[in-house]
Amino acid sequence: MKQSSVQVLADRKADMSTKYLMMRIKEIPKTGYAFGHQDATAYGMGWKNNGNDHRSDVHDVTGDFPGVYGFELGHLELGHTQNLDTVNFKLMGNLIKKAHKNGGIITLSWHPDNPVTLKSAWDPSPAVSEVLQGGALHPKYRSWLIKVADFMKSLKSDSGKPIPVVFRPYHEMNGSWFWWGHGNCTPEEFKRLWIETFEFLTINNNVHNLLYCYSTDAIKDEGEYLKFYPGDEHVDILGIDLYHKNSTEEYIQLLNNNLNILAKIAKKKKKPYAMTEGGLNMVTVDNWWTEVLDKNIADKGISWALFWRNAWPNHYYVPFKGQKSSPDFKKFQKLPNVLFLKKLKKIN
């Protein structure tokens, strides 16, 4: 048995497919890191998937698909048929099934609406204390979590086996822009929210196909990263979201500083780690993929780097056909350490 296969997961009753996914995730850094894209096969620049077509802007440019597929659960809790980015949940389930069948890794984020104000997740009005056990909105929030549980349990392969998923709830909690974020709840309240969510899914609802990923926004130091950390026994994977917002020089420094801190924490905790979100909006630097990104993350030991969605002409994070960073993106895809789907499939 490989050393990595004896990893004890947060969910002690995790099914075999989930244990196997964890083993794969731990093997990846021995070869390089996987490339991921949010909503890769749901829509792209000038197209939207309304059936089960398997297309992506990434494939249009490189002839290969991402190794990691990100999807979003926001509005599932409200019983809507579409998520907050207008992706139909039934279609999402089918796209997840297809990606898994092809050897891809699935990661799911969740931006639940503010349960107090019923505005979006980006309404920072305090709400965490209300949804915790004993809070006035605890029963309502549990009804939201049941919908999440049901969706997770509905993810099955052709043979009826559970499809394993990296679940990344309540992310960027060190920022103040979400209702579960810094300044809108105490670290203790956040930890309780995480643990109650974990226990409700695993114990009360028998959801056993999830790896739990804790991911912050950019940090200044180890203390900031761990301030809201709910404990090793409730987390499988460590993540961090790193966007290129200012100068290229600043981003290079941010990548190196933050990923070095993350690597140090992850090694102490013996957990795999990833860049769970990131990118440069509209990829305005021609050689960004090879010269800015890969040169500064290749040696950091991450399992994957996931780039945000291609939503509109002024909001996209990977190139599409004709976009100016496309030639560099093709070079990036051919690097031996960069694992798009074809190369990632070989890691098992």
Side-chain angles (χ1 to χ4, degrees):
M1 183 183 279
K2 289 180 182 174
Q3 185 63 34
S4 54
S5 65
V6 298
Q7 171 80 25
V8 175
L9 301 185
D11 177 8
R12 299 302 175 95
K13 293 185 178 177
D15 57 50
M16 286 307 298
S17 64
T18 308
K19 290 175 181 174
Y20 176 66
L21 174 59
M22 184 61 149
M23 189 191 81
R24 281 187 82 202
I25 287 169
K26 291 189 82 178
E27 288 293 309
I28 291 169
K30 295 174 185 176
T31 307
Y33 59 91
F35 167 83
H37 187 209
Q38 184 75 7
D39 286 340
T41 48
Y43 53 80
M45 212 47 59
W47 64 275
K48 185 170 181 179
N49 192 342
N50 292 311
N52 293 313
D53 303 332
H54 208 49
R55 180 185 176 182
S56 79
D57 286 345
V58 170
H59 186 269
D60 286 352
V61 175
T62 66
D64 200 353
F65 286 96
V68 177
Y69 294 73
F71 292 99
E72 165 61 36
L73 297 179
H75 288 183
L76 180 71
E77 72 279 0
L78 305 177
H80 291 187
T81 56
Q82 294 187 334
N83 78 354
L84 53 81
D85 297 321
T86 71
V87 179
N88 178 280
F89 284 111
K90 188 176 178 188
L91 171 68
M92 187 188 299
N94 290 335
L95 295 177
I96 287 170
K97 185 175 174 180
K98 179 105 176 179
H100 172 70
K101 186 178 181 179
N102 289 343
I105 291 171
I106 316 302
T107 175
L108 290 174
S109 53
W110 184 32
H111 294 76
D113 274 9
N114 186 308
V116 170
T117 66
L118 301 182
K119 293 179 181 175
S120 79
W122 288 264
D123 175 7
S125 304
V128 174
S129 61
E130 296 295 314
V131 303
L132 293 174
Q133 206 156 354
L137 296 178
H138 182 64
K140 172 186 173 177
Y141 198 68
R142 289 214 153 183
S143 74
W144 284 12
L145 284 170
I146 286 169
K147 292 184 177 73
V148 173
D150 289 346
F151 182 81
M152 297 302 196
K153 288 193 285 189
S154 76
L155 301 174
K156 306 275 188 188
S157 68
D158 287 338
S159 60
K161 290 180 181 170
I163 293 173
V165 164
V166 176
F167 184 40
R168 193 172 63 93
Y170 315 131
H171 68 306
E172 298 177 3
M173 76 300 293
N174 58 320
S176 58
W177 42 88
F178 295 126
W179 58 263
W180 57 83
H182 173 71
N184 309 321
C185 66
T186 66
E188 289 68 32
E189 286 170 337
F190 179 89
K191 290 171 192 177
R192 277 182 62 200
L193 175 66
W194 183 286
I195 293 165
E196 286 186 16
T197 298
F198 171 86
E199 290 180 346
F200 190 68
L201 292 174
T202 56
I203 299 167
N204 299 58
N205 285 278
N206 294 308
V207 179
H208 299 304
N209 60 324
L210 306 183
L211 296 174
Y212 289 81
C213 179
Y214 169 88
S215 70
T216 68
D217 194 54
I219 50 169
K220 292 184 182 68
D221 53 36
E222 198 171 317
E224 184 179 354
Y225 188 83
L226 295 172
K227 187 175 181 182
F228 295 86
Y229 187 65
D232 291 350
E233 66 277 21
H234 297 109
V235 173
D236 295 299
I237 298 164
L238 304 181
I240 198 161
D241 297 356
L242 299 173
Y243 284 94
H244 183 157
K245 296 174 184 172
N246 301 310
S247 72
T248 298
E249 292 71 28
E250 281 177 83
Y251 189 59
I252 287 169
Q253 192 173 10
L254 185 79
L255 285 174
N256 283 285
N257 289 349
N258 278 254
L259 292 176
N260 285 339
I261 294 167
L262 184 61
K264 189 177 168 189
I265 296 169
K267 282 182 178 105
K268 277 187 209 165
K269 296 185 174 299
K270 297 185 169 65
K271 295 187 187 292
Y273 55 104
M275 189 169 110
T276 39
E277 281 183 38
L280 170 61
N281 187 31
M282 298 173 68
V283 205
T284 50
V285 178
D286 292 8
N287 61 356
W288 190 83
W289 300 98
T290 57
E291 296 300 313
V292 179
L293 181 76
D294 182 69
K295 281 196 173 169
N296 294 288
I297 70 172
D299 62 347
K300 299 297 189 292
I302 59 172
S303 290
W304 73 85
L306 181 133
F307 300 88
W308 209 235
R309 63 200 196 102
N310 280 14
W312 311 291
N314 65 349
H315 185 79
Y316 61 86
Y317 287 85
V318 306
F320 45 89
K321 269 193 170 171
Q323 200 272 338
K324 69 178 192 172
S325 77
S326 292
D328 188 60
F329 191 58
K330 288 183 196 175
K331 286 184 195 167
F332 171 71
Q333 185 257 334
K334 288 184 172 76
L335 292 171
N337 63 298
V338 177
L339 311 178
F340 281 59
L341 187 60
K342 286 173 187 170
K343 280 185 261 183
L344 183 64
K345 278 163 78 168
K346 294 172 185 170
I347 295 177
N348 51 40

